[in-house]
Amino acid sequence: MRILGSLCFVLVVAACGPGDAPPPDGRDGDASVGDPTPDLNTEAPENDLPTVVFFGTSLTAGLGLPSEDDTYAAHAAELAQAAGLPFRLVNAGVSGETSAAGVRRIEWVLQSPLDVLVLELGANDGLRGLDVDELRANLEDVVRRTRALYPDARIVLLGMEAPPNLGERYTGAFAEVFTRVAEERDTHFVPFLLEGVAGVPELNQSDGIHPTPEGHRRMARNIMPALTSALEAVYAERADSVASPNGGR
């Protein structure tokens, strides 16, 4: 269902203040470390748009970009607005995050209600050649914890690929993790977030790892089919709830 409305952005990038107790994010210190853990305690939007939380690594945080508006999450919000599916955006990306660190941080992120979780973890696991079985267990744990608190939440899993220098056996097993989690946990799925971006010099910064603003635009287009499907489901469920004589399902 297409619901028209004005776009409401909430890009959350402020670090915890001196009086706050920041959650354990478990960052392990790769080259992308440096972004603060975002503060998710923001006020609810007046027009009650669905909340979409982008939870992930420096790819989500937008390391090295000129502006928060250059992230793929922000571009995805613009595309959703144009499609009549506006949402409130919370960017919960943290540079250097591994899937294990994501498990330690997700409970804090889930303190604020959400309608869609866009899950982008695994890039740093792949760069370090971490165990694929642990990656799978961590992704499943994030999905499980999210649904335990918000059973109706939609989850969009963003697939990732490991560097080819780690060998065909590892890279194949790594990519399969995302496919299996998406199938077995019934999530919306993007096979490869960096499709058309990875390995393209003009779409990546000088480190060859983090995309440029134009690279992030391509990433936003990559995720839109899955994100659109999730948002349409959220809007349809809201409409059904309003139409139901009992006010819900």
Side-chain angles (χ1 to χ4, degrees), residues 161-240:
E161 295 182 2
N165 63 293
L166 294 176
E168 185 175 345
R169 181 176 180 180
Y170 181 84
T171 57
F174 185 90
E176 185 181 2
V177 164
F178 296 92
T179 302
R180 292 187 63 182
V181 171
E183 291 176 349
E184 295 177 6
R185 299 297 171 178
D186 192 27
T187 73
H188 302 268
F189 184 46
V190 178
F192 185 31
L193 171 62
L194 297 174
E195 182 68 38
V197 178
V200 181
E202 59 269 27
L203 295 181
N204 288 277
Q205 299 174 44
S206 59
D207 61 9
I209 296 174
H210 296 96
T212 63
E214 187 56 38
H216 274 264
R217 287 186 182 276
R218 175 61 186 264
M219 293 158 64
R221 294 195 295 271
N222 288 343
I223 75 167
M224 282 313 296
L227 181 57
T228 296
S229 178
L231 288 168
E232 287 177 339
V234 169
Y235 272 113
E237 288 169 0
R238 287 187 170 201
D240 288 344

Coordinates of all heavy atoms in Angstrom, one line a residue, residues 161-240:
E161 N 30.2 -10.1 1.0 CA 31.1 -11.0 0.5 C 32.5 -10.8 1.1 O 32.8 -9.7 1.4 CB 31.2 -11.0 -1.1 CG 29.9 -11.4 -1.8 CD 30.0 -11.3 -3.3 OE1 31.1 -11.0 -3.8 OE2 29.0 -11.6 -4.0
A162 N 33.2 -11.9 1.3 CA 34.6 -11.8 1.8 C 35.6 -11.5 0.7 O 35.3 -11.8 -0.4 CB 34.9 -13.1 2.6
P163 N 36.7 -10.9 1.1 CA 37.7 -10.7 0.0 C 38.2 -11.9 -0.6 O 38.4 -13.0 0.0 CB 38.9 -10.0 0.9 CG 38.2 -9.5 2.1 CD 37.1 -10.4 2.4
P164 N 38.4 -11.9 -1.9 CA 38.8 -13.1 -2.6 C 40.1 -13.7 -2.2 O 40.4 -14.9 -2.4 CB 38.9 -12.7 -4.1 CG 39.0 -11.2 -4.1 CD 38.3 -10.8 -2.8
N165 N 41.0 -12.9 -1.6 CA 42.3 -13.4 -1.2 C 42.2 -14.4 -0.1 O 43.2 -15.1 0.3 CB 43.2 -12.2 -0.8 CG 42.7 -11.5 0.4 OD1 41.7 -10.8 0.3 ND2 43.4 -11.6 1.5
L166 N 41.1 -14.5 0.6 CA 40.9 -15.5 1.6 C 40.6 -16.9 1.1 O 40.5 -17.9 1.9 CB 39.8 -15.1 2.6 CG 40.1 -13.8 3.3 CD1 38.8 -13.3 4.2 CD2 41.3 -13.9 4.2
G167 N 40.5 -17.1 -0.2 CA 40.3 -18.4 -0.7 C 38.9 -18.7 -1.1 O 37.9 -18.2 -0.4
E168 N 38.7 -19.5 -2.1 CA 37.4 -19.8 -2.6 C 36.5 -20.6 -1.5 O 35.3 -20.3 -1.4 CB 37.5 -20.7 -3.8 CG 36.2 -21.0 -4.5 CD 36.3 -21.7 -5.8 OE1 37.5 -21.8 -6.3 OE2 35.3 -22.3 -6.3
R169 N 37.1 -21.4 -0.8 CA 36.4 -22.2 0.2 C 35.8 -21.3 1.3 O 34.6 -21.4 1.6 CB 37.3 -23.2 0.9 CG 36.6 -24.1 1.9 CD 37.5 -25.2 2.5 NE 36.8 -26.0 3.5 CZ 37.4 -27.0 4.1 NH1 38.6 -27.3 3.9 NH2 36.7 -27.7 5.0
Y170 N 36.6 -20.3 1.8 CA 36.1 -19.4 2.8 C 35.1 -18.5 2.2 O 34.0 -18.2 2.8 CB 37.2 -18.6 3.4 CG 36.8 -17.7 4.5 CD1 36.6 -18.1 5.8 CD2 36.5 -16.3 4.2 CE1 36.2 -17.2 6.8 CE2 36.1 -15.4 5.2 CZ 35.9 -15.9 6.5 OH 35.5 -15.0 7.4
T171 N 35.4 -17.9 1.1 CA 34.4 -16.9 0.5 C 33.1 -17.5 0.1 O 32.1 -16.9 0.3 CB 35.1 -16.2 -0.8 OG1 35.4 -17.2 -1.7 CG2 36.3 -15.4 -0.4
G172 N 33.1 -18.8 -0.3 CA 31.9 -19.4 -0.6 C 31.0 -19.7 0.6 O 29.8 -19.4 0.6
A173 N 31.7 -20.2 1.7 CA 31.0 -20.4 2.9 C 30.5 -19.1 3.6 O 29.4 -19.1 4.1 CB 31.9 -21.1 3.9
F174 N 31.3 -18.1 3.4 CA 30.9 -16.8 4.0 C 29.6 -16.3 3.3 O 28.7 -15.9 4.0 CB 32.1 -15.8 3.8 CG 31.8 -14.4 4.4 CD1 32.3 -14.2 5.7 CD2 31.2 -13.4 3.7 CE1 32.1 -12.9 6.3 CE2 31.1 -12.2 4.2 CZ 31.5 -11.9 5.5
A175 N 29.6 -16.3 2.0 CA 28.4 -15.8 1.3 C 27.2 -16.6 1.6 O 26.1 -16.1 1.7 CB 28.7 -15.7 -0.2
E176 N 27.4 -17.9 1.8 CA 26.3 -18.8 2.0 C 25.6 -18.5 3.4 O 24.4 -18.8 3.5 CB 26.7 -20.3 2.0 CG 25.6 -21.3 2.1 CD 26.1 -22.7 2.1 OE1 27.4 -22.9 2.0 OE2 25.3 -23.6 2.2
V177 N 26.4 -18.0 4.3 CA 25.8 -17.7 5.6 C 24.6 -16.8 5.5 O 23.5 -17.0 6.1 CB 26.9 -17.0 6.5 CG1 26.2 -16.3 7.7 CG2 27.9 -18.0 7.0
F178 N 24.7 -15.7 4.7 CA 23.6 -14.7 4.6 C 22.4 -15.3 3.9 O 21.3 -15.1 4.3 CB 24.2 -13.5 3.8 CG 25.2 -12.8 4.5 CD1 26.6 -13.1 4.3 CD2 25.0 -11.8 5.4 CE1 27.6 -12.4 5.0 CE2 26.0 -11.1 6.1 CZ 27.3 -11.5 5.9
T179 N 22.6 -16.1 2.9 CA 21.5 -16.8 2.2 C 20.8 -17.7 3.1 O 19.5 -17.7 3.2 CB 22.0 -17.6 1.0 OG1 22.7 -16.7 0.1 CG2 20.9 -18.2 0.2
R180 N 21.5 -18.5 3.9 CA 20.8 -19.4 4.8 C 20.1 -18.7 5.9 O 19.0 -19.1 6.3 CB 21.9 -20.4 5.4 CG 22.5 -21.3 4.3 CD 23.4 -22.4 5.0 NE 22.6 -23.2 5.9 CZ 23.2 -24.2 6.6 NH1 24.5 -24.4 6.5 NH2 22.5 -25.0 7.4
V181 N 20.7 -17.7 6.5 CA 20.0 -17.0 7.6 C 18.7 -16.3 7.0 O 17.7 -16.4 7.7 CB 20.9 -15.9 8.2 CG1 20.2 -15.0 9.1 CG2 22.1 -16.6 8.9
A182 N 18.8 -15.7 5.8 CA 17.6 -15.1 5.3 C 16.5 -16.1 5.0 O 15.3 -15.9 5.3 CB 18.0 -14.4 3.9
E183 N 16.9 -17.3 4.5 CA 15.9 -18.3 4.2 C 15.3 -18.9 5.5 O 14.1 -19.1 5.7 CB 16.5 -19.4 3.4 CG 16.8 -19.0 2.0 CD 17.5 -20.1 1.2 OE1 17.9 -21.1 1.8 OE2 17.7 -19.9 -0.1
E184 N 16.2 -19.3 6.4 CA 15.8 -20.0 7.6 C 15.1 -19.1 8.7 O 14.2 -19.5 9.4 CB 16.9 -20.7 8.3 CG 17.5 -21.8 7.4 CD 18.7 -22.5 8.0 OE1 19.1 -22.1 9.1 OE2 19.3 -23.3 7.3
R185 N 15.4 -17.8 8.6 CA 14.8 -16.8 9.6 C 13.8 -15.9 8.9 O 13.2 -15.0 9.5 CB 15.9 -15.9 10.2 CG 17.0 -16.7 11.0 CD 16.4 -17.4 12.2 NE 17.3 -18.4 12.8 CZ 17.0 -19.1 13.9 NH1 15.8 -19.0 14.5 NH2 17.9 -19.9 14.4
D186 N 13.5 -16.2 7.6 CA 12.4 -15.5 6.9 C 12.6 -14.0 6.9 O 11.7 -13.3 7.4 CB 11.1 -16.0 7.5 CG 9.9 -15.5 6.6 OD1 10.1 -15.4 5.4 OD2 8.8 -15.4 7.1
T187 N 13.7 -13.6 6.5 CA 13.9 -12.1 6.4 C 13.8 -11.6 5.0 O 14.0 -12.4 4.0 CB 15.3 -11.7 7.0 OG1 16.3 -12.1 6.0 CG2 15.6 -12.4 8.3
H188 N 13.6 -10.4 4.8 CA 13.9 -9.7 3.5 C 15.4 -9.8 3.2 O 16.2 -9.7 4.2 CB 13.3 -8.3 3.5 CG 11.9 -8.2 3.8 ND1 10.9 -8.3 2.8 CD2 11.2 -8.1 5.0 CE1 9.7 -8.2 3.4 NE2 9.9 -8.0 4.7
F189 N 15.8 -9.8 2.0 CA 17.2 -10.1 1.7 C 17.7 -9.4 0.5 O 17.1 -9.3 -0.5 CB 17.3 -11.7 1.5 CG 18.7 -12.1 1.3 CD1 19.8 -11.7 2.2 CD2 19.1 -13.0 0.3 CE1 21.1 -12.2 2.0 CE2 20.4 -13.5 0.1 CZ 21.4 -13.0 1.0
V190 N 18.9 -8.9 0.7 CA 19.7 -8.2 -0.3 C 21.0 -9.1 -0.5 O 21.8 -9.1 0.5 CB 20.1 -6.8 0.0 CG1 21.0 -6.2 -1.1 CG2 18.9 -5.9 0.2
P191 N 21.2 -9.8 -1.6 CA 22.3 -10.7 -1.7 C 23.7 -10.1 -1.4 O 24.5 -10.7 -0.8 CB 22.2 -11.3 -3.1 CG 20.7 -11.2 -3.4 CD 20.3 -9.9 -2.7
F192 N 23.9 -8.9 -2.0 CA 25.2 -8.3 -1.8 C 25.0 -6.8 -1.8 O 24.7 -6.1 -2.8 CB 26.1 -8.7 -2.9 CG 27.6 -8.2 -2.8 CD1 28.1 -8.0 -1.5 CD2 28.3 -7.9 -3.9 CE1 29.5 -7.6 -1.4 CE2 29.6 -7.5 -3.8 CZ 30.2 -7.3 -2.6
L193 N 25.2 -6.2 -0.6 CA 25.1 -4.7 -0.5 C 25.9 -3.9 -1.4 O 25.5 -2.9 -2.0 CB 25.4 -4.3 1.0 CG 25.5 -2.8 1.3 CD1 24.1 -2.1 1.0 CD2 25.9 -2.6 2.7
L194 N 27.1 -4.4 -1.7 CA 28.1 -3.6 -2.5 C 28.1 -4.1 -3.9 O 29.1 -3.8 -4.6 CB 29.5 -3.8 -1.9 CG 29.7 -3.2 -0.5 CD1 31.1 -3.6 0.1 CD2 29.5 -1.7 -0.5
E195 N 27.0 -4.7 -4.4 CA 27.0 -5.1 -5.8 C 27.1 -3.8 -6.7 O 26.5 -2.8 -6.5 CB 25.6 -5.7 -6.1 CG 25.4 -6.2 -7.5 CD 26.3 -7.3 -7.9 OE1 26.5 -8.2 -7.0 OE2 26.8 -7.4 -9.0
G196 N 28.1 -3.9 -7.7 CA 28.3 -2.8 -8.5 C 29.2 -1.7 -7.9 O 29.5 -0.7 -8.6
V197 N 29.6 -1.9 -6.7 CA 30.4 -0.9 -6.0 C 31.8 -1.4 -5.6 O 32.8 -0.8 -5.8 CB 29.7 -0.4 -4.7 CG1 30.6 0.6 -4.0 CG2 28.4 0.2 -5.1
A198 N 31.8 -2.6 -5.0 CA 33.1 -3.2 -4.6 C 34.0 -3.4 -5.8 O 33.6 -3.9 -6.9 CB 32.8 -4.6 -4.0
G199 N 35.2 -3.0 -5.7 CA 36.2 -3.2 -6.7 C 36.1 -2.1 -7.8 O 36.9 -2.2 -8.8
V200 N 35.2 -1.2 -7.7 CA 35.1 -0.1 -8.7 C 35.8 1.1 -8.1 O 35.3 1.8 -7.2 CB 33.7 0.2 -9.0 CG1 33.6 1.3 -10.1 CG2 32.9 -1.0 -9.5
P201 N 37.0 1.5 -8.6 CA 37.8 2.5 -8.0 C 37.1 3.9 -7.9 O 37.2 4.5 -6.8 CB 39.0 2.7 -9.0 CG 39.1 1.3 -9.6 CD 37.7 0.8 -9.8
E202 N 36.3 4.3 -8.9 CA 35.7 5.6 -8.8 C 34.5 5.6 -7.8 O 34.0 6.7 -7.5 CB 35.2 6.0 -10.2 CG 34.2 5.1 -10.9 CD 34.9 4.0 -11.7 OE1 36.1 3.7 -11.4 OE2 34.3 3.6 -12.7
L203 N 34.1 4.5 -7.4 CA 33.0 4.4 -6.4 C 33.5 4.2 -5.0 O 32.6 4.0 -4.1 CB 32.0 3.4 -6.8 CG 31.2 3.6 -8.1 CD1 30.2 2.5 -8.4 CD2 30.5 5.0 -8.1
N204 N 34.8 4.2 -4.8 CA 35.3 3.9 -3.5 C 36.4 5.0 -3.1 O 37.0 5.6 -4.0 CB 36.0 2.5 -3.4 CG 35.0 1.4 -3.4 OD1 34.4 1.1 -2.4 ND2 34.7 0.9 -4.6
Q205 N 36.5 5.2 -1.8 CA 37.5 6.2 -1.3 C 38.9 5.6 -1.5 O 39.1 4.5 -2.0 CB 37.2 6.5 0.2 CG 35.8 7.1 0.4 CD 35.5 7.3 1.8 OE1 36.3 7.7 2.6 NE2 34.2 7.0 2.2
S206 N 39.9 6.4 -1.1 CA 41.3 6.0 -1.4 C 41.7 4.7 -0.7 O 42.6 4.1 -1.1 CB 42.2 7.2 -0.9 OG 42.0 7.5 0.4
D207 N 41.0 4.3 0.4 CA 41.3 3.1 1.1 C 40.8 1.9 0.3 O 41.2 0.7 0.6 CB 40.8 3.1 2.5 CG 39.2 3.1 2.6 OD1 38.6 3.1 1.5 OD2 38.7 3.3 3.7
G208 N 40.0 2.1 -0.7 CA 39.5 1.0 -1.5 C 38.5 0.1 -0.8 O 38.0 -0.9 -1.4
I209 N 38.0 0.5 0.3 CA 37.1 -0.2 1.1 C 35.7 0.5 1.3 O 34.7 -0.1 1.1 CB 37.6 -0.6 2.5 CG1 38.9 -1.5 2.3 CG2 36.6 -1.3 3.4 CD1 39.6 -1.8 3.7
H210 N 35.8 1.8 1.6 CA 34.6 2.6 2.0 C 34.2 3.3 0.8 O 34.9 4.1 0.2 CB 34.9 3.5 3.1 CG 35.3 2.8 4.4 ND1 36.6 2.5 4.8 CD2 34.4 2.2 5.3 CE1 36.5 1.9 5.9 NE2 35.3 1.7 6.3
P211 N 32.9 3.2 0.4 CA 32.4 3.8 -0.8 C 32.3 5.3 -0.7 O 32.2 5.9 0.4 CB 30.9 3.2 -0.9 CG 31.0 1.9 -0.2 CD 32.0 2.2 0.9
T212 N 32.3 6.0 -1.9 CA 32.2 7.4 -2.0 C 30.7 7.7 -1.9 O 29.8 6.8 -1.9 CB 32.7 7.9 -3.4 OG1 31.9 7.2 -4.4 CG2 34.1 7.5 -3.6
P213 N 30.3 9.0 -1.9 CA 28.9 9.4 -2.0 C 28.1 8.7 -3.1 O 27.0 8.2 -3.0 CB 28.9 10.9 -2.1 CG 30.1 11.3 -1.4 CD 31.2 10.2 -1.7
E214 N 28.8 8.7 -4.3 CA 28.1 8.0 -5.4 C 28.0 6.5 -5.2 O 27.0 5.9 -5.6 CB 28.9 8.3 -6.7 CG 28.1 7.8 -8.0 CD 26.7 8.4 -8.1 OE1 26.5 9.5 -7.8 OE2 25.8 7.6 -8.6
G215 N 29.0 5.9 -4.6 CA 28.9 4.5 -4.2 C 27.7 4.2 -3.3 O 27.0 3.2 -3.4
H216 N 27.5 5.1 -2.4 CA 26.4 5.0 -1.4 C 25.1 5.1 -2.2 O 24.1 4.4 -1.8 CB 26.5 6.0 -0.3 CG 27.4 5.5 0.8 ND1 26.9 4.9 2.0 CD2 28.7 5.5 1.0 CE1 27.9 4.6 2.8 NE2 29.0 5.0 2.2
R217 N 25.0 5.9 -3.2 CA 23.8 6.0 -4.0 C 23.5 4.7 -4.6 O 22.3 4.3 -4.7 CB 23.9 7.1 -5.0 CG 23.9 8.5 -4.5 CD 23.8 9.6 -5.6 NE 23.8 10.9 -5.1 CZ 22.8 11.6 -4.7 NH1 21.6 11.0 -4.8 NH2 22.8 12.8 -4.2
R218 N 24.5 4.0 -5.1 CA 24.3 2.7 -5.7 C 23.9 1.7 -4.7 O 23.0 0.9 -4.9 CB 25.6 2.3 -6.4 CG 25.6 0.9 -7.0 CD 24.5 0.7 -8.1 NE 24.4 -0.7 -8.5 CZ 25.0 -1.2 -9.6 NH1 25.8 -0.4 -10.3 NH2 24.8 -2.4 -9.9
M219 N 24.5 1.8 -3.5 CA 24.1 0.9 -2.4 C 22.6 1.0 -2.1 O 21.9 0.1 -1.8 CB 25.0 1.1 -1.2 CG 26.4 0.7 -1.4 SD 27.6 1.5 -0.3 CE 27.0 0.9 1.3
A220 N 22.1 2.3 -2.0 CA 20.7 2.6 -1.7 C 19.8 1.9 -2.8 O 18.8 1.3 -2.4 CB 20.5 4.1 -1.7
R221 N 20.2 2.0 -4.0 CA 19.4 1.4 -5.1 C 19.4 -0.2 -4.9 O 18.4 -0.8 -5.2 CB 19.9 1.8 -6.5 CG 19.7 3.2 -6.8 CD 19.9 3.5 -8.3 NE 21.2 3.3 -8.7 CZ 22.2 4.2 -8.7 NH1 22.0 5.4 -8.2 NH2 23.4 3.9 -9.2
N222 N 20.6 -0.7 -4.5 CA 20.7 -2.1 -4.3 C 19.7 -2.7 -3.2 O 19.1 -3.8 -3.4 CB 22.1 -2.5 -3.8 CG 23.1 -2.4 -5.0 OD1 22.7 -2.3 -6.1 ND2 24.4 -2.4 -4.6
I223 N 19.5 -1.9 -2.2 CA 18.6 -2.4 -1.1 C 17.1 -2.1 -1.3 O 16.3 -2.6 -0.6 CB 19.1 -1.8 0.3 CG1 18.7 -0.4 0.5 CG2 20.5 -2.0 0.5 CD1 18.8 0.1 1.9
M224 N 16.8 -1.2 -2.2 CA 15.4 -0.7 -2.3 C 14.4 -1.8 -2.6 O 13.3 -1.7 -2.0 CB 15.3 0.4 -3.4 CG 15.8 1.7 -2.8 SD 15.2 2.2 -1.2 CE 13.4 2.4 -1.5
P225 N 14.6 -2.8 -3.4 CA 13.5 -3.8 -3.6 C 13.2 -4.5 -2.3 O 12.0 -4.6 -2.0 CB 14.2 -4.8 -4.6 CG 15.1 -4.0 -5.4 CD 15.7 -3.0 -4.4
A226 N 14.2 -4.9 -1.5 CA 13.9 -5.5 -0.2 C 13.3 -4.6 0.8 O 12.3 -4.9 1.5 CB 15.1 -6.2 0.3
L227 N 13.8 -3.4 0.9 CA 13.3 -2.4 1.8 C 11.9 -2.0 1.5 O 11.0 -1.8 2.3 CB 14.2 -1.2 1.9 CG 13.8 0.0 2.8 CD1 13.7 -0.6 4.3 CD2 14.8 1.1 2.8
T228 N 11.6 -1.8 0.2 CA 10.3 -1.5 -0.3 C 9.3 -2.5 0.2 O 8.2 -2.2 0.6 CB 10.2 -1.3 -1.8 OG1 11.0 -0.1 -2.1 CG2 8.8 -1.0 -2.3
S229 N 9.6 -3.8 0.0 CA 8.8 -4.9 0.4 C 8.5 -4.9 1.9 O 7.3 -5.1 2.3 CB 9.4 -6.2 0.0 OG 8.7 -7.3 0.4
A230 N 9.5 -4.6 2.7 CA 9.3 -4.5 4.1 C 8.4 -3.4 4.5 O 7.5 -3.5 5.3 CB 10.7 -4.4 4.8
L231 N 8.6 -2.2 3.9 CA 7.8 -1.0 4.2 C 6.3 -1.2 3.8 O 5.4 -0.8 4.5 CB 8.4 0.2 3.6 CG 9.7 0.7 4.2 CD1 10.3 1.8 3.3 CD2 9.4 1.3 5.6
E232 N 6.2 -1.8 2.6 CA 4.8 -2.1 2.2 C 4.1 -3.0 3.1 O 2.9 -2.8 3.4 CB 4.8 -2.7 0.8 CG 5.2 -1.7 -0.3 CD 5.3 -2.4 -1.7 OE1 5.5 -3.6 -1.8 OE2 5.2 -1.6 -2.7
A233 N 4.8 -4.0 3.7 CA 4.2 -4.9 4.6 C 3.8 -4.1 5.9 O 2.7 -4.3 6.5 CB 5.1 -6.0 5.0
V234 N 4.7 -3.2 6.4 CA 4.4 -2.5 7.6 C 3.2 -1.6 7.4 O 2.3 -1.5 8.2 CB 5.6 -1.6 7.9 CG1 5.3 -0.6 9.0 CG2 6.8 -2.5 8.4
Y235 N 3.1 -0.9 6.2 CA 2.0 0.0 6.0 C 0.7 -0.8 5.8 O -0.4 -0.4 6.3 CB 2.2 0.8 4.7 CG 3.0 2.1 5.0 CD1 4.3 2.3 4.6 CD2 2.3 3.2 5.7 CE1 4.9 3.5 4.8 CE2 3.0 4.4 6.0 CZ 4.3 4.5 5.5 OH 4.9 5.7 5.8
A236 N 0.8 -2.0 5.2 CA -0.4 -2.8 5.1 C -0.9 -3.3 6.4 O -2.1 -3.3 6.7 CB -0.1 -4.0 4.1
E237 N 0.0 -3.7 7.3 CA -0.4 -4.1 8.6 C -1.0 -3.0 9.4 O -2.0 -3.2 10.2 CB 0.8 -4.7 9.3 CG 1.2 -6.1 8.7 CD 2.6 -6.5 9.3 OE1 3.2 -5.8 10.1 OE2 3.0 -7.6 8.9
R238 N -0.5 -1.8 9.3 CA -1.1 -0.7 10.0 C -2.5 -0.4 9.5 O -3.4 -0.1 10.2 CB -0.2 0.6 9.8 CG 1.1 0.5 10.6 CD 1.8 1.8 10.5 NE 2.9 1.9 11.4 CZ 3.5 3.0 11.8 NH1 3.1 4.2 11.4 NH2 4.5 3.0 12.6
A239 N -2.7 -0.5 8.1 CA -4.0 -0.2 7.6 C -5.0 -1.3 8.0 O -6.1 -1.0 8.4 CB -3.9 -0.2 6.1
D240 N -4.6 -2.5 8.1 CA -5.4 -3.6 8.5 C -5.8 -3.4 10.0 O -6.9 -3.7 10.4 CB -4.7 -5.0 8.4 CG -4.6 -5.4 6.9 OD1 -5.3 -4.8 6.1 OD2 -3.8 -6.3 6.6

